[in-house]
Amino acid sequence: MRRLPGRILRGSSRVGLVLYALALGGVLGLASADWATRGGYPFGGVAIGPWTAWPRSGTAGTDPYTRAVNARRGEIALAVGEGMLLTASADDEGRALDAACTYRLSGSTPPARAWTLTVAGRGAPDPARPPVREGFTSTEVLRERDGSFVIALAPDVQPGNWLPSPRASGPLRLALRLYDTPVAASVGNLDREALPAIARIGCGA
């Protein structure tokens, strides 16, 4: 009978340790899943300068992390026969895109029936900055005489094609979606010059 309290204490300490381990594992698992799906796709990208093509994001063999990212964003990935997604989180010099800076996107896109270029950033949009527009389409962008275009990504109003930053500062990500494009089946042959250049013009004080 004298040993009974000690056994109860040892048993309760083991139960507490097990519960602590389970709780810690759950917290770490949720945190790692949040980190893995918060940004862009973790696997399967093909780097082309500052752009990264994702030819497998909409295929049957898509990895579970990519599917989780699509589910978290509420997006339906483009299948190979539908088009291709390219993203950029840095400029041509390898510097991370910042909402406080002004960028010049210039050039053209690979052959495609249509395309869209959108900007997004991590976190909720700044409520003090009403959304003027989130992107351009191939049918509405103003072009040069040779068919190329220039888009200003900036926090302040710019002449011509102006793509506003969604917040005053913080990381940005560009998404270029090509619809009905022949390059979806041969990403490895895609030339860097076929994609828009991303040049930083300056940053706010």
Side-chain angles (χ1 to χ4, degrees):
M1 293 296 293
R2 295 179 179 178
R3 296 180 180 180
L4 184 59
R7 293 178 180 177
I8 295 176
L9 289 175
R10 286 195 296 271
S12 61
S13 64
R14 290 176 182 174
V15 172
L17 183 61
V18 171
L19 292 176
Y20 172 78
L22 291 175
L24 181 62
V27 170
L28 292 177
L30 291 174
S32 62
D34 176 75
W35 177 83
T37 60
R38 181 180 297 179
Y41 299 130
F43 308 111
V46 179
I48 310 168
W51 296 94
T52 302
W54 303 97
R56 296 174 56 90
S57 62
T59 63
T62 302
D63 62 90
Y65 290 98
T66 299
R67 294 179 183 177
V69 171
N70 287 332
R72 180 166 183 168
R73 295 179 183 172
E75 296 180 354
I76 299 177
L78 294 173
V80 174
E82 297 174 333
M84 185 175 62
L85 168 68
L86 297 101
T87 61
S89 300
D91 62 15
D92 288 343
E93 302 297 325
R95 297 169 295 193
L97 298 180
D98 192 324
C101 300
T102 298
Y103 299 90
R104 184 176 186 268
L105 283 66
S106 60
S108 58
T109 65
R113 185 179 298 275
W115 57 261
T116 61
L117 178 66
T118 57
V119 61
R122 182 169 296 179
D126 186 352
R129 304 176 67 88
V132 179
R133 69 161 57 239
E134 296 179 351
F136 281 97
T137 68
S138 54
T139 58
E140 64 183 352
V141 68
L142 300 176
R143 299 178 183 271
E144 305 293 332
R145 291 187 176 182
D146 60 359
S148 63
F149 58 82
V150 176
I151 297 176
L153 172 60
D156 301 317
V157 179
Q158 302 289 322
N161 299 313
W162 173 47
L163 188 55
S165 301
R167 58 185 53 79
S169 62
L172 296 178
R173 182 181 68 253
L174 293 168
L176 176 62
R177 292 176 174 84
L178 306 174
Y179 297 94
D180 193 12
T181 174
V183 302
S186 57
V187 179
N189 297 326
L190 188 58
D191 186 21
R192 169 65 189 92
E193 300 301 322
L195 295 170
I198 307 174
R200 180 194 284 187
I201 304 302
C203 296

